[in-house]
Amino acid sequence: MPFKKIEVRPIAGALGAELRGVDLSSPLDDETFDEVKRAFHENLVIFFRDQQITPQQHVEFAKRFGKLDVHPFAKGLDDLPEVLPVIKEAADHAGNFGGTWHSDVTFYEEPALGSILYALETPAYGGDTMFANMYMAYDALSDGLKDRLEGLTALHSASRAYGAESRTSRRIAKGSESMEIKFGEDAEALVEHPVVRTHPDTGRKGLFVNHVFTQRFKGWTQEESQPLLDYLYAHAVRPEFTCRFQWRDGSIAFWDNRCVQHYALNDYHGQRREMHRVTVCGDRPFLAREAHPAAAE
Ligand SMILES: [Fe+2]
């Protein structure tokens, strides 16, 4: 079906499209909003250029997609805690936030629907974000492995990223004064998610494990799980399943966290980068055994 209110320009074969004709500083009429949502479902990650929005406008746009999340470990703006500043100062030589392939907050029982990231200050070069299509990753597996994975549940927790012993977070915190991140024992709780999940809106199946938060398969030991998980992590981000977005000041990326992994490249040492992230709450992942009604649409 063609779009009437917006222009949708794919940026890669696998996923990702730039949307034109949308100004997010004012409320979208219902027809435009419906087209933005359809473009989001069809392209998995959507981009807007040259936007100028306040934190409040950022929040208002995000709220049309659902309730908003307040990050449990990284501190948001004082007056608008749903807006999480993601900052790397020019003097920071530590890791950057989001600098490995992952889905956001899969240590929640109900992981995020998606995040809307707005670029306030971007480096002259570098600092791109990559995205990978988890429908494609699932579809490309053999029928034998698909069957095996559909019978598996994975355990996720925040311990590797935010646990008291987390090396990743200590490295970021030590080199950076720019983000407040807390670590601790409340990062250790395990939650269960299906390894293959059905997208609640599109009905498509996608691979749902990630290197940062997935710990092991339920009923399997860590040692047993790791080889298959490592295979899936590498498979999921094959270059042909990805796109790469080059930021400019005023750019926005909105990814569907239910079927996309992302990776923030840390290749701009000596330059400052400041983003605002707002995250929309999602629902509990499930695997539909029967054909999902939305899949026929
Ligand atoms: Fe992330």
Side-chain angles (χ1 to χ4, degrees):
M1 199 170 23
F3 291 92
K4 292 190 193 131
K5 308 284 280 193
I6 61 173
E7 190 185 342
V8 179
R9 293 191 171 201
I11 69 159
L15 77 166
E18 187 177 319
L19 272 49
R20 299 195 180 171
V22 183
D23 175 3
L24 297 177
S25 67
S26 51
L28 303 182
D29 62 77
D30 287 346
E31 206 181 340
T32 304
F33 176 74
D34 287 347
E35 291 200 353
V36 168
K37 198 167 178 179
R38 179 154 65 88
F40 177 66
H41 287 146
E42 290 177 2
N43 295 280
L44 289 65
V45 53
I46 53 177
F47 307 105
F48 305 89
R49 293 289 193 186
D50 305 316
Q51 302 290 318
Q52 278 197 309
I53 55 169
T54 63
Q56 190 62 47
Q57 289 163 344
H58 192 169
V59 161
E60 292 305 325
F61 174 61
K63 270 187 184 164
R64 300 214 36 193
F65 291 87
K67 268 184 11 194
L68 303 187
D69 180 51
V70 174
H71 199 284
F73 301 112
K75 190 176 176 302
L77 297 180
D78 283 337
D79 52 343
L80 218 50
E82 301 93 335
V83 179
L84 174 67
V86 177
I87 301 173
K88 183 167 175 261
E89 298 291 354
D92 287 353
H93 290 289
N96 63 332
F97 194 69
T100 183
W101 281 108
H102 66 287
S103 314
D104 288 329
V105 295
T106 66
F107 51 88
Y108 285 175
E109 290 197 351
E110 298 181 342
L113 176 152
S115 285
I116 302 171
L117 193 59
Y118 172 48
L120 286 94
E121 185 176 345
T122 52
Y125 56 83
D128 295 356
T129 302
M130 296 186 70
F131 300 90
N133 180 335
M134 292 304 105
Y135 297 143
M136 285 182 104
Y138 169 78
D139 288 342
L141 297 170
S142 66
D143 288 344
L145 187 50
K146 281 181 187 158
D147 280 352
R148 190 74 190 88
L149 295 178
E150 289 190 13
L152 290 178
T153 297
L155 301 173
H156 296 236
S157 86
S159 65
R160 208 172 285 133
Y162 301 110
E165 298 304 314
S166 154
R167 261 191 306 164
T168 318
S169 292
R170 274 211 302 262
R171 203 179 60 221
I172 294 175
K174 209 167 73 182
S176 171
E177 301 293 313
S178 41
M179 289 183 70
E180 274 185 51
I181 296 177
K182 63 172 183 164
F183 317 104
E185 281 172 12
D186 48 354
E188 309 296 329
L190 289 167
V191 305
E192 297 182 6
H193 294 309
V195 171
V196 178
R197 75 180 288 189
T198 303
H199 192 291
D201 295 318
T202 68
R204 296 185 65 186
K205 287 178 186 172
L207 191 59
F208 195 64
V209 288
N210 73 88
H211 173 71
V212 175
F213 301 122
T214 306
Q215 305 297 325
R216 61 183 169 85
F217 298 119
K218 186 181 178 186
W220 295 33
T221 65
Q222 179 77 47
E223 290 73 19
E224 290 166 343
S225 304
Q226 206 58 50
L228 180 50
L229 286 172
D230 285 341
Y231 169 74
L232 294 173
Y233 300 150
H235 165 82
V237 299
R238 273 164 42 182
E240 63 270 32
F241 302 156
T242 70
C243 69
R244 178 167 175 153
F245 184 62
Q246 198 166 20
W247 296 90
R248 298 195 302 257
D249 293 0
S251 299
I252 289 176
F254 179 13
W255 62 88
D256 189 332
N257 194 56
R258 301 164 295 185
C259 54
V260 170
Q261 290 199 43
H262 56 283
Y263 184 116
L265 274 85
N266 188 18
D267 59 349
Y268 54 102
H269 293 312
Q271 303 184 74
R272 188 176 192 277
R273 184 175 183 268
E274 180 175 1
M275 324 288 269
H276 276 177
R277 178 175 116 177
V278 174
T279 295
V280 182
C281 297
D283 52 5
R284 180 125 211 188
F286 64 91
L287 173 63
R289 295 291 169 184
E290 304 300 321
H292 189 278
E297 283 174 8

